[in-house]
Coordinates of all heavy atoms in Angstrom, one line a residue:
M1 N -44.9 -138.2 93.4 CA -46.3 -138.3 92.9 C -46.7 -139.7 92.9 O -46.0 -140.6 92.4 CB -46.4 -137.7 91.5 CG -47.8 -137.8 91.0 SD -48.0 -137.0 89.4 CE -48.2 -135.4 89.9
A2 N -47.8 -140.0 93.5 CA -48.3 -141.4 93.6 C -48.7 -141.9 92.2 O -49.2 -141.1 91.4 CB -49.5 -141.4 94.5
A3 N -48.5 -143.1 92.0 CA -48.9 -143.7 90.7 C -50.4 -143.7 90.5 O -51.1 -143.9 91.5 CB -48.4 -145.2 90.6
K4 N -50.8 -143.4 89.3 CA -52.2 -143.3 89.1 C -52.7 -144.6 88.5 O -51.9 -145.3 87.8 CB -52.5 -142.2 88.1 CG -52.2 -140.8 88.6 CD -52.4 -139.7 87.6 CE -52.0 -138.4 88.2 NZ -52.2 -137.3 87.2
S5 N -53.9 -145.0 88.8 CA -54.4 -146.3 88.2 C -55.3 -145.9 87.0 O -56.0 -144.9 87.0 CB -55.1 -147.1 89.2 OG -56.2 -146.3 89.7
P6 N -55.3 -146.8 86.0 CA -56.1 -146.5 84.8 C -57.6 -146.6 85.1 O -58.0 -147.4 85.9 CB -55.7 -147.6 83.8 CG -55.1 -148.7 84.6 CD -54.6 -148.1 85.9
P7 N -58.3 -145.7 84.5 CA -59.8 -145.7 84.7 C -60.4 -146.9 84.0 O -59.7 -147.5 83.1 CB -60.2 -144.4 84.0 CG -59.2 -144.1 82.9 CD -57.9 -144.7 83.5
S8 N -61.6 -147.2 84.4 CA -62.2 -148.3 83.7 C -62.5 -147.9 82.2 O -62.7 -146.7 81.9 CB -63.5 -148.7 84.4 OG -64.4 -147.6 84.4
L9 N -62.5 -148.8 81.3 CA -62.6 -148.5 79.9 C -64.1 -148.4 79.6 O -64.9 -149.2 80.1 CB -62.0 -149.6 79.1 CG -60.5 -149.7 79.2 CD1 -60.0 -150.9 78.4 CD2 -59.8 -148.5 78.7
P10 N -64.5 -147.5 78.7 CA -65.9 -147.4 78.3 C -66.3 -148.6 77.5 O -65.4 -149.3 76.9 CB -65.9 -146.1 77.4 CG -64.5 -145.8 77.0 CD -63.6 -146.5 78.1
S11 N -67.6 -148.8 77.4 CA -68.1 -150.0 76.7 C -67.6 -150.1 75.3 O -67.4 -151.2 74.7 CB -69.6 -150.1 76.8 OG -70.2 -148.9 76.2
F12 N -67.5 -148.9 74.6 CA -67.1 -149.0 73.2 C -65.7 -149.3 72.9 O -65.2 -149.4 71.8 CB -67.5 -147.6 72.5 CG -66.8 -146.5 73.0 CD1 -65.5 -146.1 72.6 CD2 -67.4 -145.7 74.0 CE1 -64.9 -145.0 73.1 CE2 -66.8 -144.5 74.5 CZ -65.5 -144.2 74.1
S13 N -64.9 -149.4 74.0 CA -63.4 -149.6 73.8 C -63.1 -151.0 73.2 O -62.1 -151.2 72.7 CB -62.7 -149.5 75.2 OG -63.1 -150.5 76.0
S14 N -64.1 -151.9 73.3 CA -63.8 -153.2 72.7 C -63.7 -153.1 71.2 O -63.2 -154.0 70.5 CB -64.9 -154.2 73.1 OG -66.2 -153.7 72.7
N15 N -64.2 -152.0 70.6 CA -64.2 -151.9 69.2 C -62.9 -151.2 68.7 O -62.7 -151.0 67.5 CB -65.4 -151.0 68.7 CG -66.7 -151.7 69.0 OD1 -66.8 -152.9 68.9 ND2 -67.7 -150.9 69.3
W16 N -62.0 -150.8 69.6 CA -60.8 -150.2 69.2 C -59.8 -151.2 68.7 O -59.6 -152.2 69.3 CB -60.1 -149.4 70.4 CG -60.9 -148.3 70.8 CD1 -62.0 -147.7 70.2 CD2 -60.7 -147.5 72.1 NE1 -62.5 -146.6 71.0 CE2 -61.7 -146.5 72.1 CE3 -59.8 -147.7 73.1 CZ2 -61.8 -145.6 73.1 CZ3 -59.9 -146.8 74.1 CH2 -60.9 -145.8 74.2
V17 N -59.3 -151.0 67.5 CA -58.4 -152.0 66.9 C -57.0 -151.6 67.1 O -56.6 -150.5 66.8 CB -58.7 -152.1 65.4 CG1 -57.8 -153.1 64.7 CG2 -60.2 -152.5 65.1
G18 N -56.2 -152.5 67.8 CA -54.8 -152.2 68.0 C -54.5 -151.2 69.0 O -53.3 -150.8 69.2
G19 N -55.5 -150.7 69.8 CA -55.2 -149.7 70.8 C -54.8 -150.4 72.1 O -55.6 -151.1 72.7
D20 N -53.7 -150.1 72.6 CA -53.2 -150.6 73.9 C -53.5 -149.5 74.9 O -52.6 -148.8 75.3 CB -51.8 -151.0 73.8 CG -51.3 -151.6 75.2 OD1 -52.1 -151.7 76.1 OD2 -50.0 -151.8 75.3
I21 N -54.7 -149.4 75.3 CA -55.1 -148.3 76.2 C -54.4 -148.4 77.6 O -53.9 -147.4 78.1 CB -56.7 -148.3 76.4 CG1 -57.4 -148.2 75.1 CG2 -57.1 -147.2 77.4 CD1 -57.0 -147.0 74.2
H22 N -54.3 -149.6 78.1 CA -53.6 -149.7 79.4 C -52.1 -149.4 79.3 O -51.5 -148.9 80.2 CB -53.9 -151.1 80.0 CG -55.3 -151.2 80.5 ND1 -55.8 -150.5 81.6 CD2 -56.4 -151.9 80.0 CE1 -57.0 -150.8 81.8 NE2 -57.4 -151.6 80.9
G23 N -51.6 -149.8 78.1 CA -50.2 -149.5 77.9 C -49.9 -148.0 77.8 O -49.0 -147.5 78.3
L24 N -50.8 -147.3 77.1 CA -50.7 -145.9 77.0 C -50.9 -145.2 78.3 O -50.2 -144.2 78.7 CB -51.8 -145.3 76.0 CG -51.6 -145.6 74.5 CD1 -52.8 -145.2 73.7 CD2 -50.3 -144.9 74.0
W25 N -51.8 -145.7 79.1 CA -52.0 -145.2 80.5 C -50.7 -145.3 81.3 O -50.3 -144.4 82.0 CB -53.2 -145.9 81.2 CG -53.4 -145.3 82.5 CD1 -53.0 -145.7 83.7 CD2 -54.2 -144.1 82.8 NE1 -53.4 -144.9 84.7 CE2 -54.1 -143.9 84.2 CE3 -54.9 -143.2 82.1 CZ2 -54.7 -142.8 84.8 CZ3 -55.5 -142.1 82.7 CH2 -55.4 -142.0 84.1
S26 N -50.1 -146.5 81.2 CA -48.9 -146.8 81.9 C -47.8 -145.8 81.5 O -47.0 -145.3 82.3 CB -48.5 -148.2 81.7 OG -47.2 -148.5 82.3
F27 N -47.7 -145.6 80.2 CA -46.7 -144.7 79.6 C -46.9 -143.2 80.2 O -46.0 -142.5 80.5 CB -46.7 -144.7 78.1 CG -45.7 -143.8 77.4 CD1 -44.4 -144.0 77.7 CD2 -46.1 -142.8 76.6 CE1 -43.4 -143.2 77.1 CE2 -45.2 -142.0 76.0 CZ -43.9 -142.2 76.2
S28 N -48.2 -142.8 80.2 CA -48.5 -141.5 80.7 C -48.1 -141.4 82.2 O -47.7 -140.3 82.6 CB -50.0 -141.1 80.4 OG -50.8 -141.8 81.3
A29 N -48.4 -142.4 82.9 CA -48.0 -142.4 84.4 C -46.5 -142.2 84.5 O -46.0 -141.5 85.4 CB -48.5 -143.7 85.1
T30 N -45.7 -142.8 83.6 CA -44.3 -142.7 83.7 C -43.9 -141.2 83.4 O -43.0 -140.6 84.0 CB -43.6 -143.6 82.6 OG1 -43.9 -145.0 83.0 CG2 -42.1 -143.4 82.6
L31 N -44.5 -140.6 82.4 CA -44.2 -139.3 82.0 C -44.6 -138.3 83.1 O -43.9 -137.3 83.3 CB -44.9 -138.9 80.7 CG -44.4 -139.6 79.4 CD1 -45.2 -139.3 78.2 CD2 -42.9 -139.4 79.2
Y32 N -45.7 -138.6 83.8 CA -46.1 -137.7 84.9 C -45.0 -137.5 85.9 O -44.9 -136.4 86.5 CB -47.4 -138.2 85.6 CG -48.7 -137.8 85.0 CD1 -49.5 -138.7 84.4 CD2 -49.1 -136.4 85.0 CE1 -50.7 -138.3 83.9 CE2 -50.3 -136.0 84.5 CZ -51.1 -136.9 83.9 OH -52.3 -136.5 83.4
R33 N -44.2 -138.5 86.1 CA -43.2 -138.4 87.1 C -42.1 -137.4 86.7 O -41.4 -136.9 87.6 CB -42.5 -139.8 87.4 CG -43.5 -140.7 88.1 CD -42.8 -141.9 88.6 NE -42.1 -142.7 87.6 CZ -42.7 -143.8 87.0 NH1 -43.9 -144.2 87.4 NH2 -42.1 -144.5 86.1
Y34 N -42.0 -137.1 85.5 CA -40.9 -136.2 85.0 C -41.4 -134.7 85.0 O -40.6 -133.8 84.9 CB -40.5 -136.6 83.6 CG -39.7 -137.9 83.6 CD1 -40.3 -139.0 83.2 CD2 -38.4 -137.9 84.0 CE1 -39.6 -140.2 83.2 CE2 -37.7 -139.1 84.0 CZ -38.3 -140.2 83.6 OH -37.6 -141.4 83.6
V35 N -42.7 -134.5 85.0 CA -43.2 -133.1 84.9 C -42.7 -132.2 86.0 O -42.2 -131.1 85.7 CB -44.8 -133.1 84.8 CG1 -45.3 -131.7 84.9 CG2 -45.2 -133.8 83.5
P36 N -42.7 -132.6 87.3 CA -42.2 -131.6 88.3 C -40.7 -131.3 88.0 O -40.3 -130.1 88.3 CB -42.3 -132.4 89.6 CG -43.4 -133.4 89.3 CD -43.3 -133.8 87.9
Q37 N -39.9 -132.2 87.5 CA -38.5 -131.9 87.3 C -38.3 -131.0 86.1 O -37.3 -130.3 86.0 CB -37.8 -133.2 87.0 CG -37.8 -134.2 88.2 CD -37.3 -135.5 87.8 OE1 -36.6 -135.7 86.9 NE2 -37.7 -136.6 88.5
L38 N -39.3 -130.9 85.2 CA -39.2 -130.2 84.0 C -39.1 -128.7 84.3 O -38.3 -128.0 83.6 CB -40.4 -130.4 83.1 CG -40.4 -130.2 81.6 CD1 -39.2 -130.9 81.0 CD2 -41.6 -130.6 81.0
A39 N -39.8 -128.2 85.3 CA -39.8 -126.8 85.6 C -38.3 -126.3 86.0 O -37.9 -125.3 85.6 CB -40.7 -126.4 86.7
D40 N -37.7 -127.2 86.8 CA -36.3 -126.8 87.2 C -35.4 -126.8 86.0 O -34.5 -125.9 85.9 CB -35.8 -127.8 88.2 CG -36.5 -127.8 89.5 OD1 -37.1 -126.7 89.8 OD2 -36.5 -128.8 90.2
V41 N -35.5 -127.7 85.1 CA -34.7 -127.8 83.9 C -34.9 -126.6 83.0 O -34.0 -126.0 82.5 CB -35.0 -129.1 83.1 CG1 -34.3 -129.1 81.7 CG2 -34.5 -130.3 83.9
V42 N -36.2 -126.2 82.8 CA -36.5 -125.1 82.0 C -35.9 -123.8 82.6 O -35.4 -123.0 81.9 CB -38.1 -124.9 81.8 CG1 -38.4 -123.6 81.2 CG2 -38.6 -126.1 81.0
T43 N -36.0 -123.6 83.9 CA -35.4 -122.5 84.5 C -33.9 -122.4 84.3 O -33.4 -121.3 84.0 CB -35.8 -122.5 86.0 OG1 -37.2 -122.5 86.2 CG2 -35.1 -121.3 86.8
A44 N -33.3 -123.5 84.5 CA -31.8 -123.5 84.3 C -31.4 -123.2 82.9 O -30.5 -122.5 82.6 CB -31.2 -124.9 84.7
L45 N -32.2 -123.8 81.9 CA -31.9 -123.6 80.5 C -32.2 -122.2 80.1 O -31.4 -121.6 79.3 CB -32.6 -124.6 79.6 CG -32.1 -126.0 79.7 CD1 -33.0 -127.0 78.9 CD2 -30.7 -126.1 79.2
N46 N -33.2 -121.6 80.7 CA -33.5 -120.2 80.4 C -32.3 -119.3 80.7 O -32.0 -118.4 80.0 CB -34.8 -119.7 81.1 CG -36.0 -120.0 80.4 OD1 -36.0 -120.2 79.2 ND2 -37.1 -120.1 81.1
K47 N -31.7 -119.6 81.9 CA -30.5 -118.8 82.3 C -29.4 -118.9 81.3 O -28.7 -118.0 80.9 CB -30.1 -119.2 83.7 CG -31.1 -118.7 84.8 CD -30.6 -119.2 86.1 CE -31.6 -118.8 87.2 NZ -31.2 -119.3 88.5
N48 N -29.2 -120.2 80.8 CA -28.1 -120.5 79.9 C -28.4 -119.8 78.5 O -27.5 -119.2 77.9 CB -27.9 -122.0 79.7 CG -27.2 -122.6 80.9 OD1 -26.4 -121.9 81.6 ND2 -27.5 -123.8 81.2
V49 N -29.6 -119.9 78.1 CA -30.0 -119.3 76.8 C -29.8 -117.8 76.9 O -29.3 -117.2 76.0 CB -31.4 -119.7 76.4 CG1 -31.9 -118.8 75.2 CG2 -31.5 -121.2 76.0
S50 N -30.3 -117.2 78.0 CA -30.1 -115.8 78.2 C -28.6 -115.4 78.1 O -28.2 -114.4 77.5 CB -30.7 -115.3 79.5 OG -30.5 -114.0 79.7
G51 N -27.8 -116.2 78.7 CA -26.3 -116.0 78.7 C -25.7 -116.0 77.4 O -24.9 -115.2 77.0
V52 N -26.1 -117.0 76.6 CA -25.6 -117.2 75.3 C -26.0 -116.1 74.3 O -25.2 -115.5 73.6 CB -26.0 -118.6 74.7 CG1 -25.7 -118.7 73.2 CG2 -25.3 -119.7 75.4
V53 N -27.3 -115.8 74.3 CA -27.9 -114.9 73.4 C -27.7 -113.4 73.9 O -27.2 -112.6 73.2 CB -29.4 -115.1 73.1 CG1 -30.0 -114.1 72.2 CG2 -29.5 -116.5 72.5
G54 N -28.0 -113.2 75.2 CA -27.9 -111.8 75.7 C -26.6 -111.4 76.1 O -26.0 -110.5 75.5
T55 N -26.0 -112.0 77.1 CA -24.7 -111.6 77.6 C -23.6 -111.7 76.6 O -22.7 -110.8 76.5 CB -24.4 -112.4 78.9 OG1 -25.5 -112.3 79.8 CG2 -23.1 -111.9 79.6
A56 N -23.6 -112.8 75.9 CA -22.5 -113.0 74.9 C -22.7 -112.1 73.7 O -21.8 -112.0 72.8 CB -22.4 -114.4 74.5
G57 N -23.9 -111.5 73.5 CA -24.1 -110.6 72.4 C -24.3 -111.3 71.1 O -24.1 -110.7 70.0
W58 N -24.8 -112.5 71.1 CA -25.1 -113.2 69.8 C -26.2 -112.5 69.1 O -27.3 -112.3 69.7 CB -25.5 -114.7 70.2 CG -25.6 -115.5 69.0 CD1 -25.1 -115.4 67.7 CD2 -26.4 -116.8 68.9 NE1 -25.5 -116.4 66.9 CE2 -26.3 -117.3 67.6 CE3 -27.1 -117.4 69.9 CZ2 -26.9 -118.5 67.2 CZ3 -27.7 -118.6 69.5 CH2 -27.6 -119.1 68.2
Q59 N -26.0 -112.1 67.9 CA -27.0 -111.4 67.1 C -27.2 -112.0 65.7 O -26.4 -112.8 65.3 CB -26.6 -109.9 67.0 CG -26.5 -109.2 68.3 CD -26.0 -107.8 68.1 OE1 -25.6 -107.3 67.0 NE2 -25.9 -107.0 69.2
G60 N -28.2 -111.5 65.1 CA -28.4 -112.0 63.7 C -29.6 -112.9 63.6 O -30.3 -113.2 64.5
A61 N -29.7 -113.4 62.3 CA -30.9 -114.3 62.0 C -30.8 -115.6 62.8 O -31.8 -116.1 63.3 CB -30.9 -114.6 60.5
A62 N -29.6 -116.2 63.0 CA -29.5 -117.4 63.7 C -29.9 -117.3 65.2 O -30.5 -118.1 65.8 CB -28.1 -118.0 63.6
A63 N -29.4 -116.2 65.8 CA -29.7 -115.9 67.2 C -31.2 -115.7 67.3 O -31.8 -116.2 68.3 CB -29.0 -114.7 67.7
S64 N -31.9 -115.0 66.4 CA -33.3 -114.7 66.5 C -34.1 -116.1 66.3 O -35.0 -116.3 67.1 CB -33.7 -113.8 65.4 OG -33.2 -112.5 65.6
A65 N -33.6 -116.9 65.4 CA -34.3 -118.2 65.1 C -34.2 -119.1 66.4 O -35.1 -119.7 66.8 CB -33.8 -118.8 63.9
F66 N -33.0 -119.1 67.0 CA -32.8 -119.9 68.1 C -33.6 -119.4 69.3 O -34.3 -120.2 70.0 CB -31.3 -119.9 68.5 CG -31.0 -120.6 69.8 CD1 -30.8 -122.0 69.8 CD2 -30.8 -120.0 71.0 CE1 -30.6 -122.7 70.9 CE2 -30.6 -120.6 72.2 CZ -30.4 -122.0 72.1
T67 N -33.6 -118.1 69.5 CA -34.4 -117.6 70.6 C -35.9 -117.8 70.5 O -36.6 -118.2 71.4 CB -34.2 -116.1 70.8 OG1 -32.8 -115.8 71.0 CG2 -34.9 -115.4 71.9
T68 N -36.4 -117.7 69.3 CA -37.8 -117.9 69.0 C -38.1 -119.4 69.2 O -39.1 -119.7 69.8 CB -38.1 -117.5 67.5 OG1 -37.9 -116.2 67.3 CG2 -39.6 -117.9 67.2
S69 N -37.3 -120.3 68.7 CA -37.5 -121.7 68.9 C -37.5 -122.1 70.4 O -38.3 -122.8 70.9 CB -36.5 -122.5 68.1 OG -36.6 -123.9 68.3
W70 N -36.5 -121.5 71.1 CA -36.4 -121.9 72.5 C -37.6 -121.3 73.3 O -38.1 -122.0 74.2 CB -35.1 -121.3 73.2 CG -35.2 -121.5 74.6 CD1 -35.3 -120.5 75.6 CD2 -35.2 -122.7 75.4 NE1 -35.5 -121.0 76.8 CE2 -35.4 -122.4 76.7 CE3 -35.1 -124.0 75.0 CZ2 -35.5 -123.3 77.7 CZ3 -35.2 -125.0 76.0 CH2 -35.4 -124.6 77.3
D71 N -38.0 -120.1 73.0 CA -39.1 -119.5 73.7 C -40.4 -120.4 73.5 O -41.1 -120.7 74.5 CB -39.4 -118.1 73.2 CG -38.4 -117.1 73.7 OD1 -37.7 -117.4 74.7 OD2 -38.4 -116.0 73.1
R72 N -40.6 -120.9 72.3 CA -41.7 -121.8 72.0 C -41.6 -123.1 72.8 O -42.6 -123.5 73.4 CB -41.8 -122.1 70.5 CG -43.0 -122.9 70.1 CD -43.0 -123.1 68.6 NE -41.8 -123.7 68.1 CZ -41.0 -123.2 67.2 NH1 -41.2 -121.9 66.8 NH2 -39.9 -123.8 66.9
D73 N -40.4 -123.7 72.8 CA -40.3 -125.0 73.5 C -40.4 -124.8 75.0 O -41.0 -125.6 75.7 CB -38.9 -125.6 73.2 CG -38.8 -126.0 71.7 OD1 -39.8 -126.1 71.1 OD2 -37.7 -126.3 71.3
A74 N -39.8 -123.7 75.6 CA -39.9 -123.4 77.0 C -41.4 -123.2 77.4 O -41.8 -123.7 78.5 CB -39.0 -122.2 77.4
T75 N -42.1 -122.5 76.6 CA -43.5 -122.2 76.9 C -44.3 -123.6 76.9 O -45.1 -123.8 77.8 CB -44.1 -121.3 75.8 OG1 -43.4 -120.0 75.9 CG2 -45.6 -121.1 76.1
A76 N -44.0 -124.4 76.0 CA -44.7 -125.7 76.0 C -44.3 -126.6 77.2 O -45.2 -127.2 77.8 CB -44.3 -126.5 74.7
A77 N -43.1 -126.5 77.6 CA -42.7 -127.3 78.8 C -43.3 -126.7 80.1 O -43.8 -127.5 80.9 CB -41.1 -127.2 79.0
R78 N -43.4 -125.4 80.2 CA -44.1 -124.8 81.3 C -45.6 -125.1 81.3 O -46.2 -125.4 82.3 CB -43.9 -123.3 81.3 CG -42.5 -122.9 81.9 CD -42.5 -121.4 82.1 NE -42.6 -120.6 80.9 CZ -41.6 -120.3 80.0 NH1 -40.4 -120.6 80.4 NH2 -41.8 -119.6 79.0
A79 N -46.2 -125.2 80.1 CA -47.6 -125.6 80.0 C -47.9 -127.0 80.5 O -48.9 -127.2 81.1 CB -48.1 -125.4 78.6
L80 N -46.9 -127.9 80.3 CA -47.1 -129.2 80.9 C -47.2 -129.2 82.4 O -48.0 -129.9 83.0 CB -45.9 -130.1 80.5 CG -45.9 -130.7 79.1 CD1 -44.6 -131.4 78.8 CD2 -47.1 -131.6 78.9
G81 N -46.4 -128.4 83.0 CA -46.4 -128.2 84.4 C -47.7 -127.7 84.9 O -48.3 -128.1 85.9
V82 N -48.2 -126.7 84.2 CA -49.5 -126.1 84.6 C -50.6 -127.2 84.4 O -51.5 -127.3 85.3 CB -49.9 -124.9 83.7 CG1 -51.3 -124.4 83.9 CG2 -48.9 -123.8 84.0
L83 N -50.6 -127.9 83.3 CA -51.6 -129.0 83.2 C -51.5 -130.0 84.2 O -52.6 -130.5 84.7 CB -51.5 -129.6 81.8 CG -51.9 -128.8 80.6 CD1 -51.6 -129.5 79.3 CD2 -53.4 -128.5 80.7
D84 N -50.3 -130.4 84.6 CA -50.1 -131.4 85.7 C -50.7 -130.9 87.0 O -51.4 -131.6 87.7 CB -48.7 -131.7 85.8 CG -48.4 -132.8 86.9 OD1 -49.0 -133.9 86.8 OD2 -47.7 -132.5 87.9
R85 N -50.4 -129.6 87.3 CA -51.0 -129.1 88.6 C -52.5 -129.0 88.6 O -53.1 -129.4 89.6 CB -50.4 -127.7 88.9 CG -48.9 -127.7 89.3 CD -48.5 -126.4 89.8 NE -48.5 -125.4 88.8 CZ -47.6 -125.2 87.9 NH1 -46.5 -125.9 87.8 NH2 -47.7 -124.2 87.0
K86 N -53.1 -128.7 87.4 CA -54.5 -128.6 87.3 C -55.1 -130.0 87.4 O -56.1 -130.3 88.0 CB -55.0 -127.9 86.0 CG -54.7 -126.4 86.1 CD -55.2 -125.8 84.8 CE -55.0 -124.3 84.9 NZ -55.5 -123.5 83.8
S87 N -54.5 -131.0 86.8 CA -54.9 -132.4 86.8 C -54.9 -132.9 88.2 O -55.8 -133.6 88.7 CB -54.0 -133.2 85.9 OG -54.3 -134.6 86.1
T88 N -53.8 -132.6 89.0 CA -53.7 -133.0 90.3 C -54.8 -132.4 91.2 O -55.4 -133.1 92.0 CB -52.3 -132.6 90.9 OG1 -51.3 -133.2 90.1 CG2 -52.2 -133.0 92.3
R89 N -55.1 -131.2 91.0 CA -56.2 -130.5 91.8 C -57.5 -131.2 91.4 O -58.3 -131.4 92.3 CB -56.2 -129.0 91.5 CG -55.2 -128.3 92.3 CD -55.5 -126.8 92.3 NE -55.6 -126.2 91.0 CZ -54.7 -125.5 90.4 NH1 -53.5 -125.4 90.9 NH2 -54.9 -125.0 89.2
L90 N -57.8 -131.4 90.2 CA -59.0 -132.1 89.8 C -59.1 -133.5 90.4 O -60.2 -133.9 90.9 CB -59.1 -132.2 88.2 CG -59.5 -130.9 87.5 CD1 -59.4 -131.1 86.0 CD2 -60.9 -130.4 87.9
N91 N -58.0 -134.2 90.3 CA -58.1 -135.6 90.9 C -58.3 -135.6 92.4 O -59.0 -136.4 93.0 CB -56.8 -136.3 90.5 CG -56.7 -136.8 89.1 OD1 -57.8 -136.9 88.5 ND2 -55.5 -136.9 88.6
S92 N -57.7 -134.6 93.1 CA -57.8 -134.5 94.5 C -59.2 -134.1 94.9 O -59.6 -134.3 96.0 CB -56.7 -133.6 95.1 OG -56.9 -132.3 94.7
S93 N -59.9 -133.4 94.1 CA -61.3 -132.9 94.4 C -62.3 -133.9 93.9 O -63.5 -133.6 94.0 CB -61.5 -131.5 93.9 OG -61.5 -131.5 92.5
H94 N -61.9 -135.0 93.4 CA -62.8 -136.1 92.9 C -63.7 -135.6 91.8 O -64.9 -136.1 91.8 CB -63.6 -136.7 94.1 CG -62.7 -137.2 95.1 ND1 -61.8 -138.3 95.0 CD2 -62.4 -136.7 96.4 CE1 -61.1 -138.4 96.1 NE2 -61.5 -137.5 97.0
I95 N -63.3 -134.8 91.0 CA -64.1 -134.3 89.8 C -63.7 -135.2 88.6 O -62.5 -135.4 88.4 CB -63.8 -132.9 89.5 CG1 -64.3 -132.0 90.6 CG2 -64.5 -132.5 88.2 CD1 -64.0 -130.5 90.5
T96 N -64.6 -135.7 87.9 CA -64.3 -136.5 86.8 C -64.6 -135.7 85.5 O -65.5 -134.9 85.5 CB -65.1 -137.8 86.7 OG1 -66.5 -137.5 86.8 CG2 -64.7 -138.7 87.9
I97 N -63.8 -135.9 84.5 CA -63.9 -135.1 83.3 C -64.5 -136.1 82.3 O -64.2 -137.2 82.1 CB -62.6 -134.6 82.8 CG1 -62.0 -133.7 83.8 CG2 -62.7 -133.9 81.5 CD1 -60.6 -133.2 83.5

């Protein structure tokens, strides 16, 4: 994924105290590079979780709590990938938000 450049700052940004907007933008650009890899990791971990909980027959409150927690985290990770794909499509069609 090509590096994104920060947008120009709005005129009111000079009133932000202590906000490193360009630093945050740079940090987000770094994180964007990891999003495509996240889907592969989530898929692999889903298989492992299924093996531990399902195939191994782990049952009880701890197994339920673990599965619930993993499902929530996996859903959040997949949502990042969806947002990244939508953002890429918006950027490629030159639509500004």
Side-chain angles (χ1 to χ4, degrees):
M1 175 178 281
K4 298 178 181 180
S5 59
S8 59
L9 296 174
S11 60
F12 62 85
S13 67
S14 61
N15 295 327
W16 294 347
V17 178
D20 180 6
I21 303 306
H22 289 289
L24 288 172
W25 183 266
S26 175
F27 182 59
S28 73
T30 299
L31 293 177
Y32 270 115
R33 291 193 298 265
Y34 291 102
V35 171
Q37 300 168 23
L38 202 54
D40 294 337
V41 170
V42 170
T43 299
L45 287 174
N46 274 339
K47 289 179 184 175
N48 287 331
V49 168
S50 177
V52 167
V53 177
T55 307
W58 186 23
Q59 298 176 354
S64 294
F66 176 80
T67 301
T68 299
S69 179
W70 170 251
D71 287 344
R72 183 180 54 244
D73 292 345
T75 299
R78 281 190 296 272
L80 280 174
V82 169
L83 287 174
D84 180 59
R85 286 189 299 278
K86 287 183 179 184
S87 170
T88 300
R89 281 196 303 262
L90 284 173
N91 287 334
S92 66
S93 63
H94 305 292
I95 297 173
T96 56
I97 299 174

